[in-house]
Amino acid sequence: MASTLPFEILIEIFSYLHPKDLYSLSLVCKRYRTLLWSKISTTTQDIWRTSRIRYILHPTFDPPEKMSEQQYNYLLMVVNSCQFCGECCRYKLAMHWEFRIFCCHDCLLQRCISRNSLMNDWKVSGELLACLQQVITPPRSKQKLFLVSDIIKTLSEYHDIEAENKRLIWIQEKQSYINNMIREHKKYKAQFELIRLFDLTF
């Protein structure tokens, strides 16, 4: 019967479901996935937005720029295990919003490098270091970590620029971008932690 229901009725039903249920439904059949997984359909985005507003008990920010409601809901309310090893103990897990990574500390360390290693072993200058997004760690942590995949991508962008004057412009723009992103990432990370604090189903 569900396979023959008009889209209008399905949309109405879906608007009452929790994001976790929407993810489960998107795996049921091609019809549901078509309706629930489009990143450009305003109807699809409205379904997920309505679900987010309905099931998160306090106001939330809109998704970051270029992030779909599906991915936003997944990060806020659905993901519950390390994205690399599957660890499920909530006390071993953390969201690193700056890289859209939810993982345990061990898996994070395997994919990161310290500031000292970047400067001493990789010979990254202080100027370029300021162009890299640092992993947001707990306030009492003495480690300053950087994600290796992000380092490689950023350094590749820099070295692809041949003209020295264009490199200087790139550095200035990148540093400004990183400073703005630091504020945004902290805002979304705090929101995530507040949601998980009151979400007893996590």
Side-chain angles (χ1 to χ4, degrees):
M1 179 180 175
S3 62
T4 60
L5 284 174
F7 273 123
E8 292 78 10
I9 295 177
L10 285 176
I11 291 167
E12 180 67 22
I13 294 171
F14 290 169
S15 68
Y16 288 93
L17 299 180
H18 191 283
K20 293 179 181 178
D21 297 322
L22 292 178
Y23 268 95
S24 296
L25 276 173
S26 70
L27 301 175
V28 169
C29 65
K30 186 176 180 180
R31 188 168 190 246
Y32 287 176
R33 186 167 183 83
T34 299
L35 182 57
L36 290 172
W37 216 248
S38 172
K39 294 182 179 180
I40 58 174
S41 165
T42 55
T43 299
T44 300
Q45 297 306 301
D46 285 344
I47 290 171
W48 288 91
R49 185 180 300 106
T50 300
S51 180
R52 168 168 59 85
I53 293 170
R54 185 184 299 276
Y55 286 98
I56 296 179
L57 302 179
H58 54 83
T60 54
F61 305 118
D62 287 335
E65 187 178 355
K66 297 181 181 180
M67 180 182 286
S68 68
E69 280 284 348
Q70 296 98 310
Q71 185 182 6
Y72 191 43
N73 274 270
Y74 178 76
L75 293 174
L76 287 181
M77 302 183 70
V78 179
V79 64
N80 60 4
S81 62
C82 175
Q83 293 174 229
F84 303 110
C85 73
E87 173 64 61
C88 293
C89 177
R90 64 187 300 171
Y91 302 107
K92 296 181 181 180
L93 298 165
M95 173 62 76
H96 300 281
W97 194 271
E98 59 277 21
F99 298 113
R100 317 295 193 247
I101 292 175
F102 187 64
C103 67
C104 65
H105 189 61
D106 288 343
C107 285
L108 178 70
L109 290 181
Q110 290 173 15
R111 289 161 174 80
C112 288
I113 190 170
S114 70
R115 185 177 188 275
N116 287 340
S117 292
L118 270 177
M119 297 184 74
N120 299 328
D121 301 332
W122 289 47
K123 307 301 180 185
V124 174
S125 67
E127 252 188 346
L128 278 178
L129 197 61
C131 297
L132 298 172
Q133 171 64 60
Q134 184 178 321
V135 176
I136 300 175
T137 52
R140 287 178 288 181
S141 175
K142 295 181 180 179
Q143 289 182 306
K144 292 186 177 180
L145 300 174
F146 298 83
L147 194 68
V148 172
S149 59
D150 183 64
I151 296 167
I152 294 171
K153 178 184 176 184
T154 303
L155 295 183
S156 177
E157 285 179 13
Y158 173 75
H159 290 298
D160 282 345
I161 303 170
E162 296 181 0
E164 187 62 30
N165 63 326
K166 290 185 178 180
R167 283 188 173 186
L168 292 174
I169 293 171
W170 180 90
I171 287 173
Q172 291 173 349
E173 291 177 346
K174 193 71 173 179
Q175 289 176 352
S176 176
Y177 172 79
I178 290 296
N179 289 334
N180 290 333
M181 286 299 99
I182 287 171
R183 290 190 289 271
E184 179 176 287
H185 297 149
K186 287 182 177 179
K187 177 180 77 173
Y188 281 103
K189 183 177 174 65
Q191 173 182 260
F192 170 86
E193 291 173 350
L194 183 62
I195 290 169
R196 291 306 174 101
L197 179 65
F198 292 102
D199 183 8
L200 300 180
T201 64
F202 170 51

